[in-house]
Short mmCIF file of all heavy atoms in Angstrom, two decimals:
data_model
loop_
_atom_site.label_atom_id
_atom_site.label_comp_id
_atom_site.label_asym_id
_atom_site.label_seq_id
_atom_site.Cartn_x
_atom_site.Cartn_y
_atom_site.Cartn_z
N PHE F 816 -1.99 3.75 -5.47
CA PHE F 816 -3.26 4.50 -5.46
C PHE F 816 -3.46 5.25 -6.76
O PHE F 816 -4.57 5.31 -7.31
CB PHE F 816 -3.31 5.46 -4.28
CG PHE F 816 -4.52 6.35 -4.29
CD1 PHE F 816 -5.79 5.81 -4.29
CD2 PHE F 816 -4.39 7.73 -4.36
CE1 PHE F 816 -6.92 6.62 -4.33
CE2 PHE F 816 -5.49 8.55 -4.40
CZ PHE F 816 -6.77 7.99 -4.40
N THR F 861 -37.37 14.38 -22.56
CA THR F 861 -38.02 15.24 -21.59
C THR F 861 -37.17 16.49 -21.38
O THR F 861 -35.97 16.50 -21.67
CB THR F 861 -38.22 14.53 -20.24
OG1 THR F 861 -36.93 14.19 -19.71
CG2 THR F 861 -39.06 13.28 -20.39
N ARG F 915 -20.48 29.40 -7.81
CA ARG F 915 -21.14 29.00 -6.56
C ARG F 915 -22.20 27.93 -6.83
O ARG F 915 -22.35 26.98 -6.06
CB ARG F 915 -21.76 30.22 -5.88
CG ARG F 915 -22.12 29.97 -4.42
CD ARG F 915 -22.72 31.20 -3.77
NE ARG F 915 -21.85 32.37 -3.92
CZ ARG F 915 -20.78 32.57 -3.16
NH1 ARG F 915 -20.45 31.71 -2.22
NH2 ARG F 915 -20.04 33.66 -3.34
N LEU F 925 -21.71 14.82 -3.91
CA LEU F 925 -20.82 14.08 -3.01
C LEU F 925 -21.55 13.63 -1.75
O LEU F 925 -21.34 12.52 -1.25
CB LEU F 925 -19.61 14.93 -2.64
CG LEU F 925 -18.53 15.09 -3.72
CD1 LEU F 925 -17.49 16.12 -3.29
CD2 LEU F 925 -17.87 13.75 -4.01
N ALA F 992 -17.76 -6.67 11.12
CA ALA F 992 -17.98 -6.97 12.53
C ALA F 992 -17.34 -5.93 13.44
O ALA F 992 -17.93 -5.52 14.45
CB ALA F 992 -17.46 -8.37 12.86
N LEU F 1024 -6.44 -22.59 15.70
CA LEU F 1024 -7.72 -21.90 15.82
C LEU F 1024 -7.48 -20.39 15.89
O LEU F 1024 -6.89 -19.89 16.85
CB LEU F 1024 -8.45 -22.38 17.08
CG LEU F 1024 -9.89 -21.95 17.27
CD1 LEU F 1024 -10.78 -22.56 16.19
CD2 LEU F 1024 -10.38 -22.38 18.65
N PHE F 1041 -14.07 -26.07 29.42
CA PHE F 1041 -14.71 -27.03 30.31
C PHE F 1041 -15.99 -27.61 29.73
O PHE F 1041 -16.50 -28.59 30.24
CB PHE F 1041 -15.01 -26.36 31.65
CG PHE F 1041 -13.78 -25.81 32.30
CD1 PHE F 1041 -13.52 -24.45 32.30
CD2 PHE F 1041 -12.86 -26.66 32.90
CE1 PHE F 1041 -12.37 -23.94 32.89
CE2 PHE F 1041 -11.71 -26.15 33.49
CZ PHE F 1041 -11.46 -24.79 33.48
N ASP F 1047 -17.79 -32.08 24.58
CA ASP F 1047 -18.46 -32.38 23.33
C ASP F 1047 -17.51 -32.85 22.22
O ASP F 1047 -17.84 -33.75 21.46
CB ASP F 1047 -19.22 -31.14 22.84
CG ASP F 1047 -20.31 -30.72 23.82
OD1 ASP F 1047 -20.70 -31.56 24.64
OD2 ASP F 1047 -20.75 -29.56 23.76
N ARG F 1054 -3.92 -29.87 21.96
CA ARG F 1054 -4.01 -30.07 20.52
C ARG F 1054 -4.64 -28.88 19.79
O ARG F 1054 -4.78 -28.90 18.57
CB ARG F 1054 -4.82 -31.33 20.21
CG ARG F 1054 -4.12 -32.63 20.63
CD ARG F 1054 -5.01 -33.82 20.35
NE ARG F 1054 -5.30 -33.98 18.93
CZ ARG F 1054 -6.28 -34.78 18.47
NH1 ARG F 1054 -7.05 -35.45 19.33
NH2 ARG F 1054 -6.48 -34.89 17.17
N VAL F 1055 -5.01 -27.86 20.55
CA VAL F 1055 -5.62 -26.66 19.94
C VAL F 1055 -4.67 -25.48 20.11
O VAL F 1055 -4.43 -25.02 21.23
CB VAL F 1055 -6.99 -26.34 20.58
CG1 VAL F 1055 -7.57 -25.09 19.94
CG2 VAL F 1055 -7.94 -27.51 20.43
N ILE F 1059 -3.16 -16.05 17.28
CA ILE F 1059 -3.54 -14.65 17.47
C ILE F 1059 -3.44 -13.92 16.15
O ILE F 1059 -2.35 -13.74 15.59
CB ILE F 1059 -2.64 -13.95 18.52
CG1 ILE F 1059 -2.57 -14.78 19.81
CG2 ILE F 1059 -3.15 -12.54 18.79
CD1 ILE F 1059 -3.87 -14.96 20.50
N ASP F 1066 -3.92 -3.04 22.39
CA ASP F 1066 -3.69 -1.77 23.07
C ASP F 1066 -2.97 -1.93 24.40
O ASP F 1066 -2.15 -1.10 24.78
CB ASP F 1066 -5.02 -1.05 23.30
CG ASP F 1066 -5.71 -0.68 21.99
OD1 ASP F 1066 -4.98 -0.31 21.04
OD2 ASP F 1066 -6.94 -0.78 21.91
N THR F 1074 -4.27 -12.45 30.60
CA THR F 1074 -5.38 -13.33 30.21
C THR F 1074 -4.86 -14.53 29.43
O THR F 1074 -5.32 -15.66 29.61
CB THR F 1074 -6.39 -12.55 29.34
OG1 THR F 1074 -6.79 -11.37 30.03
CG2 THR F 1074 -7.62 -13.39 29.05
N LEU F 1075 -3.89 -14.28 28.57
CA LEU F 1075 -3.34 -15.35 27.76
C LEU F 1075 -2.63 -16.40 28.63
O LEU F 1075 -2.69 -17.60 28.34
CB LEU F 1075 -2.36 -14.76 26.74
CG LEU F 1075 -2.10 -15.56 25.47
CD1 LEU F 1075 -3.40 -15.80 24.71
CD2 LEU F 1075 -1.12 -14.80 24.58
N ARG F 1079 -2.89 -20.46 28.76
CA ARG F 1079 -1.69 -21.29 28.66
C ARG F 1079 -1.62 -22.28 29.82
O ARG F 1079 -1.23 -23.43 29.66
CB ARG F 1079 -0.45 -20.40 28.69
CG ARG F 1079 0.13 -20.08 27.33
CD ARG F 1079 1.62 -19.83 27.48
NE ARG F 1079 2.20 -19.44 26.23
CZ ARG F 1079 2.43 -18.18 25.86
NH1 ARG F 1079 2.08 -17.19 26.66
NH2 ARG F 1079 2.97 -17.90 24.69
N VAL F 1087 1.59 -16.76 17.06
CA VAL F 1087 1.45 -15.38 16.57
C VAL F 1087 1.46 -15.44 15.05
O VAL F 1087 2.36 -16.02 14.44
CB VAL F 1087 2.58 -14.48 17.09
CG1 VAL F 1087 2.60 -13.15 16.34
CG2 VAL F 1087 2.43 -14.24 18.58
N SER F 1126 17.33 -13.16 3.99
CA SER F 1126 18.02 -12.76 5.22
C SER F 1126 17.05 -12.56 6.38
O SER F 1126 17.32 -12.96 7.51
CB SER F 1126 18.81 -11.46 4.98
OG SER F 1126 19.82 -11.66 4.03
N THR F 1149 5.60 -22.38 -4.58
CA THR F 1149 6.46 -23.02 -5.58
C THR F 1149 7.45 -23.96 -4.90
O THR F 1149 7.78 -23.81 -3.72
CB THR F 1149 7.24 -21.98 -6.39
OG1 THR F 1149 8.23 -21.35 -5.55
CG2 THR F 1149 6.32 -20.92 -6.96
N ALA F 1154 12.27 -25.29 -1.38
CA ALA F 1154 13.68 -25.67 -1.27
C ALA F 1154 14.47 -24.64 -0.47
O ALA F 1154 15.31 -24.98 0.37
CB ALA F 1154 14.27 -25.86 -2.66
N PRO F 1175 -12.91 -30.21 5.70
CA PRO F 1175 -12.18 -31.12 6.61
C PRO F 1175 -12.51 -32.57 6.28
O PRO F 1175 -13.68 -32.88 6.12
CB PRO F 1175 -12.75 -30.75 7.98
CG PRO F 1175 -13.45 -29.43 7.80
CD PRO F 1175 -13.94 -29.42 6.40
N ARG F 1186 4.06 -33.50 -5.77
CA ARG F 1186 5.32 -34.19 -6.11
C ARG F 1186 5.14 -35.13 -7.28
O ARG F 1186 6.09 -35.45 -7.99
CB ARG F 1186 5.82 -34.96 -4.88
CG ARG F 1186 6.26 -34.06 -3.74
CD ARG F 1186 6.87 -34.85 -2.61
NE ARG F 1186 5.91 -35.80 -2.05
CZ ARG F 1186 6.14 -36.53 -0.96
NH1 ARG F 1186 7.30 -36.43 -0.33
NH2 ARG F 1186 5.22 -37.35 -0.49
#
Side-chain angles (χ1 to χ4, degrees):
F816 174 59
T861 62
R915 196 179 306 281
L925 284 172
L1024 190 66
F1041 302 104
D1047 298 340
R1054 292 177 63 194
V1055 179
I1059 309 298
D1066 297 322
T1074 307
L1075 204 58
R1079 262 208 184 97
V1087 168
S1126 296
T1149 69
R1186 292 185 300 187

